Amino acid sequence: MVTNDPLRGVKIKASKPVSQPCFSRDQVEQIIAASRETKRSIFILLADTGVRIGEIKWLTWKDVDFRNSRRHIRPKDDWTPKSGDQQAIPMTDRVRRLLQKRQREFQWGVTVGKSKKYPRGGNQISERRLLVSLKRVLRKLGIEGHLHTFRHAYISHALSHGVPEPVVRAIVGHVDEKVIRLYTHLADARMQDAAMVFNQSPNPQ
């Protein structure tokens, strides 16, 4: 048995957040338009809510509140949200229409289609297969990113349009303060680029 802690007094520096790709709003709509119909609804949910893919995978119809236009993120028997807390996420009109059109014969709000292995359908979505499908679309469009990039885009877009940081954090759940600074800097850079347009000299008449 070790009687003395060999690491006593040693401080491990926290890793610095790494800059990640971020879709513009135009790119988000391009990705949605170029996606297969079976995957399109999932990409819309990711883009319009800023949630993690696991929070869509474990969404049940009991979590959807059409009356108050909200969808809830709640722990399940086999799953706990990364934030560990319950959340109520406002639904955009597009998300509301999308969910209202889906069949509600199964437990899950978003499911995979019928297949030879699962002829009835109704199974939970596969993150791996979704990523493969998204990567195919991104290669076609010449865009870099992954499933989590929809979340990055949501946060960046909200901040660049003046949504207060505490409100953004409340909507998307736990976001490390150092990490959200990356989004803030990105939003600031985009606003600076937009402002530079007005500094360009007008074309001579």
Side-chain angles (χ1 to χ4, degrees), residues 88-165:
I89 308 297
M91 289 192 290
T92 63
D93 290 341
R94 180 162 67 166
V95 167
R96 182 185 178 88
R97 291 194 300 268
L98 184 155
L99 290 175
Q100 285 178 326
K101 290 179 180 179
R102 297 190 69 86
Q103 296 182 352
R104 305 176 201 176
E105 57 182 309
F106 302 109
Q107 175 186 7
W108 308 112
V110 181
T111 61
V112 297
K114 297 178 180 180
S115 64
K116 291 183 179 180
K117 187 175 181 181
Y118 302 106
R120 289 191 64 249
N123 285 57
Q124 285 178 296
I125 57 178
S126 165
E127 182 174 346
R128 180 182 62 82
R129 292 189 176 185
L130 276 173
L131 180 58
V132 169
S133 179
L134 176 62
K135 286 294 186 181
R136 187 184 302 116
V137 174
L138 294 181
R139 283 194 299 269
K140 178 181 177 181
L141 297 174
I143 300 173
E144 293 185 3
H146 39 77
L147 291 171
H148 208 66
T149 309
F150 284 109
R151 180 175 171 85
H152 299 164
Y154 180 92
I155 295 172
S156 175
H157 184 67
L159 291 172
S160 66
H161 280 71
V163 180
E165 183 180 315

Side-chain angles (χ1 to χ4, degrees), residues 17 165 169 173-183:
E165 183 180 315
R169 292 167 68 95
H174 174 72
V175 180
D176 185 88
E177 185 175 350
K178 294 180 180 179
V179 173
I180 205 166
R181 288 290 176 266
L182 293 176
Y183 301 121

Side-chain angles (χ1 to χ4, degrees), residues 22-116:
C22 185
F23 302 141
S24 68
R25 290 306 297 176
D26 286 343
Q27 288 175 330
V28 167
E29 297 308 319
Q30 289 175 31
I31 294 166
I32 290 172
S35 301
R36 296 178 180 177
E37 187 175 354
T38 53
K39 306 297 189 300
R40 189 176 301 144
S41 60
I42 300 172
F43 296 157
I44 290 174
L45 286 171
L46 288 171
D48 284 14
T49 62
V51 299
R52 303 174 180 89
I53 186 62
E55 294 164 352
I56 292 178
K57 178 179 179 179
W58 290 90
L59 175 72
T60 68
W61 288 113
K62 292 181 180 180
D63 297 325
V64 181
D65 180 2
F66 287 114
R67 177 178 297 178
N68 296 304
S69 198
R70 294 179 179 274
R71 51 148 301 184
H72 297 270
I73 298 175
R74 299 174 173 133
K76 307 295 189 300
D77 291 340
D78 300 320
W79 175 78
T80 302
K82 187 174 181 179
S83 64
D85 301 322
Q86 296 191 31
Q87 291 174 252
I89 308 297
M91 289 192 290
T92 63
D93 290 341
R94 180 162 67 166
V95 167
R96 182 185 178 88
R97 291 194 300 268
L98 184 155
L99 290 175
Q100 285 178 326
K101 290 179 180 179
R102 297 190 69 86
Q103 296 182 352
R104 305 176 201 176
E105 57 182 309
F106 302 109
Q107 175 186 7
W108 308 112
V110 181
T111 61
V112 297
K114 297 178 180 180
S115 64
K116 291 183 179 180

